[in-house]
Amino acid sequence: MTETSRPVELPTRHVTCCIVGGGPAGLVLGYLLARSGVDIAVLEKHGDFLRDFRGDTIHPSTLKALDELGLADELLQLPHEKTRQVAGSVNGETVVMADFSRLNAKYKFIAFMPQWDLLNFLMRKAQAFPSFQMLMKTEATDLITGAKGIEGVRATSPDGEIEIRADLVVACDGRHSRLRDLAGFVPRTLGAPMDVLWFKIGRDEGDDDEPLGRMSAGRILVAINRGTVWQCGYVIAKGAFEELRKGSLDDFRAAIVDMAPGFAGRIHDIASWDDLKLLTVAVDRLALWHRPGLLCIGDAAHAMSPIGGIGINLAIQDAIATANLLTDNLRGRRITDSDLAQVQRRREWPARITQWVQVTIQNHIIAPVLGARSATRPPWILRHLQSIPLLRTLPARFVAIGVRPEHVATKQMPPVH
Ligand SMILES: Cc1cc2nc3c(=O)[nH]c(=O)nc-3n(C[C@H](O)[C@H](O)[C@H](O)COP(=O)(O)OP(=O)(O)OC[C@H]3O[C@@H](n4cnc5c(N)ncnc54)[C@H](O)[C@@H]3O)c2cc1C
């Protein structure tokens, strides 16, 4: 960390809140605070949001929050696919895992939209507020400490090194958060038995619409309808990719076709191993999310398993709770560590319960399937979902609405001078 008394004077900006990371958590928080007149800067190390195979799901709880901001209808004008049910095939037996159409909610579907479209949309909307600054290609490299605790960040930018001084720094810099490391926070790892290989297969007009999940001994394949392509996730045992790569790509293609015969004609869309993107699954969380002047939210505070595709939504719910709890004190420039503790108190519980459910699914469904050498019956949890349809609303609710959905409680206000 950098002490305040450095001999070299760097160009310095002053804001009330410096948000590091322009992902879902950072941009929603930036939008909400700027809307309430808090002077903020969002730092994003990349020059754009065009990263493939990021989370692309927008869940009903997020749509509801965007609706509360008057943004949902406009967002849903952008190209997206709607998923109303998640079904799968276990050793040829079809099981419905979640049925969103039965939910008591305004939006009864998951919208699949490229994450860059969502982020560009949020940034564009936030730029309408005078107290919003977006600093692209600007990477936070160090924390600035002073008498009050964390007092800002040092960053590299297109104009060279800069300092951004702030009453509060919010680390929204994702699952490999540098700020969290610089603050000395070490996440507790909860473990995951699997990694996921993401790839795309062309989708023909007339192919099935619904997402396709297939489980058979030792293998799990998920294919999501993304219009012209199927976005596929092939679940492998943790750390198995290196070994897989040593084998033949044709064997890998054959394994996919064996699970999804409909892909046979398009399987050479996987032209090389480079067409597979490895997601190293991590489930972890911090014991403490804050220290004076610094708060971690989203993946920086709790990396989620991909099960249920709820990472984005949890990150957004964290951002809404942060804005609800901190806006007044940020406007009054009197933010304290106990204000930050309130955010952790509100959001840690949903993160813990969600991770507990994900780890239970990992251990009781995913790991047994990956470890199986011959065909087995669907795991008992899935069999119960089939015999008692009402039970399907539970996973649907868990995925779509989450444990503690947040509602926007802040208002649009003029900037504080
Ligand atoms: C391959 C993959 C697939 C996934 N699929 C899904 C899914 O289908 N549904 C779902 O809900 N979730 C999914 N997730 C998880 C989801 O993407 C995350 O949970 C969510 O994006 C977390 O949001 P965040 O804002 O906390 O962090 P991130 O989205 O990780 O955003 C962090 C941002 O900070 C920037 N950054 C990092 N360090 C710095 C720095 N030092 N200075 C400035 N900027 C910095 C990064 O460039 C990034 O833009 C997936 C994740 C991966 C990796």
Side-chain angles (χ1 to χ4, degrees):
M1 263 179 278
T2 309
E3 296 304 321
T4 31
S5 55
R6 284 180 67 97
V8 184
E9 288 276 312
L10 291 173
T12 301
R13 291 178 186 231
H14 293 267
V15 288
T16 305
C17 180
C18 171
I19 298 168
V20 175
L27 278 169
V28 169
L29 181 61
Y31 176 92
L32 288 168
L33 292 180
R35 174 176 170 266
S36 295
V38 179
D39 186 23
I40 64 113
V42 180
L43 278 55
E44 169 52 50
K45 67 181 178 184
H46 291 102
D48 57 39
F49 301 119
L50 294 178
R51 283 173 303 289
D52 218 347
F53 296 123
R54 302 287 300 276
D56 284 350
T57 52
I58 307 176
H59 290 216
S61 53
T62 297
L63 288 169
K64 180 72 178 64
L66 293 174
D67 187 49
E68 289 162 5
L69 291 165
L71 299 176
D73 288 345
E74 197 178 333
L75 179 75
L76 290 172
Q77 299 297 310
L78 299 175
H80 66 279
E81 293 84 39
K82 294 184 176 67
T83 288
R84 295 188 165 83
Q85 199 181 64
V86 177
S89 150
V90 184
N91 295 321
E93 215 173 300
T94 299
V95 286
V96 175
M97 298 174 200
D99 184 355
F100 307 118
S101 63
R102 300 171 73 107
L103 287 173
N104 179 17
K106 175 161 184 182
Y107 299 94
K108 297 177 195 291
F109 57 86
I110 290 181
F112 278 87
M113 179 183 289
Q115 198 182 105
W116 59 79
D117 281 351
L118 171 69
L119 298 179
N120 274 319
F121 175 84
L122 290 168
M123 180 175 73
R124 223 176 45 245
K125 290 291 164 188
Q127 279 166 337
F129 303 119
S131 45
F132 180 87
Q133 293 178 60
M134 184 84 214
L135 307 181
M136 298 300 282
K137 292 192 186 166
T138 304
E139 178 169 3
T141 51
D142 210 350
L143 290 167
I144 302 170
T145 51
K148 289 185 269 175
I150 305 299
E151 295 182 352
V153 299
R154 180 175 287 260
T156 55
S157 77
D159 302 325
E161 249 193 304
I162 55 169
E163 282 188 357
I164 296 166
R165 302 232 159 216
D167 296 359
L168 175 65
V169 173
V170 185
C172 300
D173 50 346
R175 58 203 338 245
H176 304 296
S177 168
R178 179 184 293 195
L179 294 200
R180 152 181 107 179
D181 295 347
L182 288 166
F185 293 155
V186 180
R188 176 180 161 221
T189 299
L190 303 184
M194 80 271 197
D195 291 328
V196 182
L197 294 175
W198 288 104
F199 58 94
K200 288 178 187 164
I201 298 270
R203 182 176 169 276
D204 295 315
E205 279 290 312
D207 278 2
D208 282 345
D209 268 353
E210 291 301 333
L212 173 80
R214 283 171 196 261
M215 290 187 183
S216 62
R219 301 169 184 174
I220 300 174
L221 174 72
V222 178
I224 303 159
N225 169 10
R226 304 303 309 273
T228 55
V229 294
W230 288 105
Q231 181 183 330
C232 301
Y234 187 63
V235 183
I236 54 173
K238 182 118 221 109
F241 187 45
E242 275 317 303
E243 204 49 41
L244 195 69
R245 268 186 88 119
K246 288 184 195 149
S248 111
L249 188 58
D250 277 334
D251 288 350
F252 178 77
R253 293 188 187 114
I256 301 296
V257 172
D258 189 41
M259 298 192 81
F263 289 172
R266 298 284 205 135
I267 196 64
H268 284 273
D269 289 359
I270 309 173
S272 78
W273 288 112
D274 293 341
D275 289 331
L276 305 174
K277 159 94 184 160
L278 174 69
L279 165 62
T280 307
V281 176
V283 188
D284 65 32
R285 63 172 176 258
L286 293 178
L288 187 64
W289 295 18
H290 59 93
R291 54 185 282 187
L294 174 74
L295 172 68
C296 301
I297 63 169
D299 271 18
H302 47 73
M304 310 303 291
S305 164
I307 291 169
I310 33 193
I312 297 179
N313 298 278
L314 229 73
I316 290 176
Q317 302 291 318
D318 282 4
I320 296 168
T322 303
N324 287 347
L325 290 163
L326 303 187
T327 295
D328 283 350
N329 286 353
L330 282 169
R331 278 182 66 91
R333 311 277 314 263
R334 49 169 190 271
I335 203 82
T336 65
D337 200 40
S338 65
D339 298 328
L340 307 183
Q342 275 192 55
V343 176
Q344 176 170 357
R345 270 200 298 281
R346 174 134 192 117
R347 294 304 306 164
E348 186 177 11
W349 180 73
R352 286 176 87 109
I353 306 240
T354 308
Q355 289 181 327
W356 177 80
V357 174
Q358 290 182 320
V359 169
T360 303
I361 293 173
Q362 285 179 175
N363 295 341
H364 293 276
I365 298 182
I366 310 275
V369 171
L370 289 179
R373 293 285 155 258
S374 58
T376 51
R377 295 193 67 202
W380 65 267
I381 300 181
L382 297 184
R383 291 202 304 275
H384 279 71
L385 291 181
Q386 303 324 294
S387 48
I388 313 171
L390 194 64
L391 278 186
R392 289 179 216 154
T393 52
L394 294 178
R397 215 194 129 74
F398 171 75
V399 168
I401 312 288
V403 173
R404 179 184 256 167
E406 300 288 349
H407 296 280
V408 177
T410 52
K411 294 193 180 67
Q412 186 162 343
M413 285 190 266
V416 188
H417 291 295

